[in-house]
């Protein structure tokens, strides 16, 4: 059994080792490099294997339980405010997800702003899903997932799949999703001091780079404001101590009103994407286990 680290230690490490270096005054290139460095502390599962592939022209990482080729699959969109991050920064989380769920987890290296503003990331996500269908993966055994901005992108991709009348996935899993790019929710102010990771100045800067002149309530960029009717069953996980909690609770309410089978799991005293500490923190292990249980109940 690997040694567990207390939430207090990990919270402090996040507050002082990550939060000050995300956003102004640091340039995007520095933020990308810093996140790659910090993410190395989130160790991949020793029970998983990884492979680099191309998904219809989109570079990607696929993680699987070691020695297995599961028929269950997850399309996972990494977080990073649409400007930083990539498959390499999420190896820890996605490999543990692969093992816990018994699935192949595909992580596309979608294009990032400012070099590639919207709709580049959404196009890449949709093309990756089409690739999965073209490679005979049953949509009834596919889930779409993501964290933070990747959660917003996963939801936007699910909406695009619905609107283009493609076969829908079995489920959607969103971890601390960023669904409202206006950055004006009440929790932005209420939790600004206790959130150990996200600064609203960072969110606003990255939103401007991704939107590239589009209104922040454009449903393709801020899927909170979309019509959610007809979406697959959805699981949303969020912590009480993050500025983005309203993005999750408001989404859950809107989805429920639209008739979507939505489950909202709120974790007390937890911060933004605390699940990335899976394998090192008990609370993260339990959250990932809940994701796996949800998926098993939806895959057919």
């Amino acid at each position: 059994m690997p040694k567990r680290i207390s939430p207090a230690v990990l919270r402090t490490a996040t507050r002082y080792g990550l939060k000050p270096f995300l956003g102004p005054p640091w340039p995007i290139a520095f933020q990308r490099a810093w996140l790659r460095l910090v993410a190395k502390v989130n160790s991949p599962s020793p029970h998983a294997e990884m492979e680099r592939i191309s998904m219809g022209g989109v570079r990607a990482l696929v993680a699987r339980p070691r020695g297995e080729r599961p028929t269950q699959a997850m399309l996972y969109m990494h977080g990073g405010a649409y400007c930083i991050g990539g498959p390499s920064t999420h190896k820890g989380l996605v490999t543990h997800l692969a093992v816990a769920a018994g699935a192949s987890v595909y992580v596309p290296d979608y294009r990032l702003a400012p070099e590639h503003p919207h709709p580049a990331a959404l196009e890449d996500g949709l093309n990756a899903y089409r690739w999965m269908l073209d490679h005979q993966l049953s949509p009834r055994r596919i889930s779409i997932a993501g964290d933070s901005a990747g959660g917003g992108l996963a939801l936007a991709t699910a909406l695009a799949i619905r609107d283009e009348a493609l076969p829908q996935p079995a489920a959607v899993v969103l971890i601390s999703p960023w669904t409202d790019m206006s950055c004006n929710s009440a929790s932005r102010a209420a939790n600004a001091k206790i959130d150990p990771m996200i600064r609203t100045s960072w969110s606003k800067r990255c939103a401007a780079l991704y939107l590239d002149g589009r209104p922040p309530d454009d449903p393709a960029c801020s899927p909170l404001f979309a019509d959610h009717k007809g979406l697959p069953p959805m699981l949303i996980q969020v912590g009480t101590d993050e500025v983005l909690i309203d993005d999750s609770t408001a989404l859950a309410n809107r989805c429920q009103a639209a008739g979507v089978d939505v489950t909202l799991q709120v974790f007390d005293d937890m911060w933004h994407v605390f699940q990335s500490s899976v394998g090192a923190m008990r609370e993260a292990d339990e959250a990932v286990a809940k994701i796996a249980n949800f998926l098993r109940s939806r895959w057919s």
Side-chain angles (χ1 to χ4, degrees):
M1 178 71 68
K3 183 178 180 181
R4 293 296 186 263
I5 303 174
S6 75
V9 170
L10 289 169
R11 176 191 288 270
T12 300
T14 301
R15 179 178 295 279
Y16 295 105
L18 186 59
K19 184 175 183 177
F21 303 103
L22 296 181
W26 306 102
I28 292 294
F30 174 84
Q31 294 177 51
R32 289 173 178 170
W34 189 254
L35 182 61
R36 286 195 297 270
L37 178 64
V38 171
K40 291 182 183 297
V41 304
N42 298 322
S43 300
S45 168
H47 306 294
E49 59 188 28
M50 293 174 280
E51 178 186 2
R52 297 284 181 180
I53 64 170
S54 176
M55 303 177 73
V58 181
R59 293 181 302 176
L61 174 76
V62 58
R64 302 184 181 93
R66 190 173 299 279
E68 298 181 23
R69 287 293 185 270
T71 57
Q72 300 84 235
M74 174 185 286
L75 177 62
Y76 191 94
M77 308 300 190
H78 69 81
Y82 294 105
C83 292
I84 67 175
S88 66
T89 62
H90 283 62
K91 288 180 179 178
L93 179 54
V94 300
T95 54
H96 282 276
L97 276 171
V99 172
S104 295
V105 180
Y106 296 83
V107 191
D109 192 8
Y110 62 83
R111 289 170 290 171
L112 300 175
E115 298 92 339
H116 304 285
H118 178 83
L122 181 55
E123 291 172 348
D124 289 349
L126 196 55
N127 285 338
Y129 185 75
R130 287 195 182 99
W131 180 93
M132 295 174 79
L133 296 179
D134 290 343
H135 283 70
Q136 310 306 312
L137 290 170
S138 169
R140 293 179 300 175
R141 300 181 75 80
I142 297 176
S143 64
I144 297 181
D147 67 276
S148 195
L153 181 57
L155 179 56
T157 302
L159 290 163
I161 289 167
R162 180 202 63 187
D163 293 346
E164 295 201 10
L166 293 171
Q168 292 205 49
V172 176
V173 175
L174 308 178
I175 300 172
S176 300
W178 185 16
T179 62
D180 178 4
M181 302 198 81
S182 73
C183 304
N184 290 326
S185 66
S187 61
R188 286 277 183 177
N191 288 352
K193 292 184 178 180
I194 63 172
D195 188 320
M197 183 173 177
I198 302 296
R199 291 189 289 152
T200 294
S201 59
W202 179 49
S203 298
K204 288 183 174 179
R205 176 58 179 156
C206 290
L209 294 173
Y210 180 66
L211 290 166
D212 194 32
R214 291 171 178 80
D217 61 352
D218 181 338
C221 303
S222 292
L224 174 64
F225 305 113
D227 175 4
H228 303 107
K229 291 179 181 178
L231 286 176
M234 183 183 303
L235 171 66
I236 307 170
Q237 290 190 341
V238 68
T240 58
D241 293 3
E242 53 178 301
V243 296
L244 286 180
I245 187 171
D246 281 359
D247 287 49
S248 289
T249 56
L251 175 64
N253 290 335
R254 285 174 178 255
C255 285
Q256 187 175 42
V260 178
D261 177 4
V262 58
T263 301
L264 174 67
Q265 296 176 348
V266 181
F267 295 82
D268 291 339
D269 304 318
M270 290 293 109
W271 55 92
H272 190 64
V273 196
F274 70 93
Q275 295 86 345
S276 63
S277 295
V278 60
M281 186 174 75
R282 176 180 57 80
E283 291 80 357
D285 294 350
E286 292 173 353
V288 168
K290 288 182 177 182
I291 292 174
N293 290 337
F294 171 83
L295 290 173
R296 290 193 188 97
S297 71
R298 297 310 191 274
W299 278 324
S300 61

